Amino acid sequence: MKSDAKPDITPSAAELKKIAIDLLSRRDHSRQELKQKLLLKGGDADVIAEVIDWCTSENYQSDSRYCAMLVRAKVNKGYGPAVVSQAARENGIDRELLTQTLEELEIDWFELALSQYQKKFADKPITDFQDKQKRMGFMQRRGFNSAQIQYALKPE
């Protein structure tokens, strides 16, 4: 039997609660992420919704706490606002919550862009147009916008 096959028996609400608490004790999960993992365990969608609501009411699960953790993790890895926004979308975090979290954390995206640029390229001067394009592409893939990239590339 394949390991990714659904179980033959649908887990009860109590079993799903136990699984959810076990998952949440390791790290925070968004509602969407938790739902997907419980569905993989063979849970019924209605029961899963009730379990997740219970986890939220008991403060075991919190999208705002998850969002803050996600933003901090991405920023600590040197990613810009576009990558952070995409990661939040992929994990079911709504735009308003992300905006609120970003305001609370007061991230200076320009300074982050500058530090990532300096970390990657140190004090090596830009040699030609192709080199500048390569550097700008790197920064764009890290999730920084054009204003932040220009700030990072500006001569000292």
Side-chain angles (χ1 to χ4, degrees), residues 77-97:
K77 289 182 179 179
Y79 289 106
V83 169
V84 170
S85 180
Q86 180 181 354
R89 253 191 330 272
E90 289 171 357
N91 288 291
I93 301 299
D94 63 69
R95 188 182 309 260
E96 293 81 27
L97 178 58

Side-chain angles (χ1 to χ4, degrees), residues 125-143:
I126 297 172
T127 55
D128 57 13
F129 182 73
Q130 188 176 6
D131 186 34
K132 184 175 183 178
Q133 291 296 104
K134 176 182 143 193
R135 292 174 186 219
M136 289 173 71
F138 167 78
M139 296 299 290
Q140 193 171 29
R141 286 188 300 279
R142 298 294 292 182

Side-chain angles (χ1 to χ4, degrees), residues 10 25 34 56 87 91 93 97-98 100 103 105 108 123-124 127 134 139 144:
T10 304
S25 69
L34 189 58
T56 303
N91 288 291
I93 301 299
L97 178 58
L98 177 62
Q100 178 186 347
E103 287 172 5
L105 294 176
D108 187 344
D123 292 329
K124 299 174 192 158
T127 55
K134 176 182 143 193
M139 296 299 290
F144 296 101

Side-chain angles (χ1 to χ4, degrees), residues 36-133:
Q36 289 171 341
K37 289 186 177 188
L38 293 176
L39 283 170
L40 287 174
K41 298 289 185 182
D44 178 62
D46 294 333
V47 177
I48 289 173
E50 291 173 19
V51 167
I52 294 174
D53 287 342
W54 176 81
C55 288
T56 303
S57 70
E58 295 294 318
N59 204 27
Y60 294 133
Q61 190 281 328
S62 166
D63 272 354
S64 62
R65 194 171 54 229
Y66 176 80
C67 183
M69 184 254 335
L70 177 72
V71 170
R72 276 193 226 92
K74 293 295 181 190
V75 167
N76 288 339
K77 289 182 179 179
Y79 289 106
V83 169
V84 170
S85 180
Q86 180 181 354
R89 253 191 330 272
E90 289 171 357
N91 288 291
I93 301 299
D94 63 69
R95 188 182 309 260
E96 293 81 27
L97 178 58
L98 177 62
T99 302
Q100 178 186 347
T101 303
L102 291 173
E103 287 172 5
E104 289 172 5
L105 294 176
E106 298 177 352
I107 299 161
D108 187 344
W109 296 111
F110 289 91
E111 287 303 316
L112 181 62
L114 180 61
S115 74
Q116 287 305 301
Y117 179 80
Q118 289 172 340
K119 182 178 175 183
K120 175 74 172 176
F121 299 106
D123 292 329
K124 299 174 192 158
I126 297 172
T127 55
D128 57 13
F129 182 73
Q130 188 176 6
D131 186 34
K132 184 175 183 178
Q133 291 296 104

